[in-house]
Amino acid sequence: MVERASTILKRYTSLSVAIDTLMSERLTLLSPRLWQDKNDIAFMEGYCRAKRLGGVVAACFTQATETYHHWGVFADSSEGVRLDFDKEALLDSLRSDGRYVWGDVQYLTLKQIAARSIAADELPFLKRHAFRDEQEFRLLYQSDDPAAAFHHIPIRRSWVKGITLSPWLPENLIDPVKQALRALPGCAQIRLQRTNLRDHAEWKRAIERATP
């Protein structure tokens, strides 16, 4: 599978997950059984049957530029954050272990998927065309345990290239949250910002150029 030309994998998640990632130096993959998209769940189950696996756990990233959709769907509260991972460093650490598979999600219309054959290896990386703006990248761990609910991947803190805080984080909490994150071991110099998606000074300055 051809991967998009991106050096950063962006993971929208929660502040508590970000703290665990940095403190424990691990990336947690979770069972897809609780995903909202039932099509996704069915394709993952079909993949496990076709490959005779006990189960899979996964982590989902995006390689798209920031959108309101990403925050609203995957990090939809003041506790939401985005972790930016060094793609090459993360994947290089996994290449020698055949239990890991990854790739870009391919988006197909109903007409397209009805007109083609599908290899079992494609199943985890196919999604309906309506989701195409997500530009999703998936990382899977193939498990022998059908009850597996999670799997931890060891990482280095240096692979986290930046953290973006929620657009709903109140102004008075921005500095305390930044201070708390920088106080974590090895995180003093980490790049931190709150997204200005919902409150951008330059965007609002356009009001001054409005004509009667």
Side-chain angles (χ1 to χ4, degrees), residues 145-163:
D145 181 4
F150 64 89
H151 172 75
H152 297 307
I153 296 176
I155 67 164
R156 296 181 181 177
R157 292 185 191 94
S158 60
W159 299 352
V160 178
K161 295 303 181 182
I163 299 177

Side-chain angles (χ1 to χ4, degrees), residues 27 44 67 70 74 78 96 100-101 146-147 184 199 209:
L27 173 66
M44 287 294 185
T67 69
H70 287 106
F74 303 110
S78 61
S96 62
Y100 294 102
V101 294
L184 298 175
D199 188 9
R209 300 194 299 276

Side-chain angles (χ1 to χ4, degrees), residues 30-44:
L30 298 173
S31 170
R33 288 191 290 268
L34 297 179
W35 286 358
Q36 294 185 28
D37 189 340
K38 294 183 179 180
N39 297 317
D40 267 350
I41 297 172
F43 271 45
M44 287 294 185

Side-chain angles (χ1 to χ4, degrees), residues 189-201:
Q189 302 302 317
I190 198 164
R191 181 178 61 82
L192 287 167
Q193 62 181 354
R194 188 186 74 157
T195 178
N196 56 15
L197 184 67
R198 295 175 61 243
D199 188 9
H200 197 293

Side-chain angles (χ1 to χ4, degrees), residues 168-189:
W168 297 287
L169 183 66
E171 289 280 348
N172 64 306
L173 295 181
I174 296 173
D175 285 341
V177 171
K178 287 182 176 180
Q179 291 169 14
L181 288 171
R182 288 199 173 109
L184 298 175
C187 295
Q189 302 302 317

Side-chain angles (χ1 to χ4, degrees), residues 13-196:
T13 185
S14 66
L15 182 60
S16 58
V17 170
I19 292 171
D20 179 72
T21 299
L22 295 167
M23 284 286 294
S24 305
E25 289 192 295
R26 65 188 184 186
L27 173 66
T28 301
L29 281 61
L30 298 173
S31 170
R33 288 191 290 268
L34 297 179
W35 286 358
Q36 294 185 28
D37 189 340
K38 294 183 179 180
N39 297 317
D40 267 350
I41 297 172
F43 271 45
M44 287 294 185
E45 291 173 347
Y47 176 71
C48 290
R49 290 193 299 270
K51 303 293 285 186
R52 299 176 185 264
L53 301 172
V56 294
V57 289
C60 301
F61 307 85
T62 181
Q63 297 174 98
T65 55
E66 180 183 50
T67 69
Y68 187 85
H69 169 87
H70 287 106
W71 287 108
V73 173
F74 303 110
D76 62 344
S77 75
S78 61
E79 298 296 306
V81 300
R82 188 186 78 220
L83 299 175
D84 294 347
F85 287 92
D86 184 320
K87 179 180 180 180
E88 183 177 1
L90 174 61
L91 299 184
D92 279 352
S93 73
L94 307 175
R95 293 189 192 279
S96 62
D97 191 333
R99 292 171 296 180
Y100 294 102
V101 294
W102 58 78
D104 293 326
V105 171
Q106 305 298 309
Y107 300 93
L108 302 177
T109 64
L110 289 173
K111 184 176 180 180
Q112 287 172 327
I113 202 168
R116 54 167 287 182
S117 60
I118 300 173
D121 288 337
E122 292 183 278
L123 288 172
F125 305 104
L126 295 178
K127 200 164 182 176
R128 292 195 64 179
H129 193 253
F131 295 91
R132 63 193 179 280
D133 290 339
E134 292 179 356
Q135 294 186 34
E136 189 176 345
F137 182 94
R138 287 182 177 169
L139 170 59
L140 276 60
Y141 176 77
Q142 302 171 124
S143 174
D144 295 327
D145 181 4
F150 64 89
H151 172 75
H152 297 307
I153 296 176
I155 67 164
R156 296 181 181 177
R157 292 185 191 94
S158 60
W159 299 352
V160 178
K161 295 303 181 182
I163 299 177
T164 302
L165 305 177
S166 169
W168 297 287
L169 183 66
E171 289 280 348
N172 64 306
L173 295 181
I174 296 173
D175 285 341
V177 171
K178 287 182 176 180
Q179 291 169 14
L181 288 171
R182 288 199 173 109
L184 298 175
C187 295
Q189 302 302 317
I190 198 164
R191 181 178 61 82
L192 287 167
Q193 62 181 354
R194 188 186 74 157
T195 178
N196 56 15

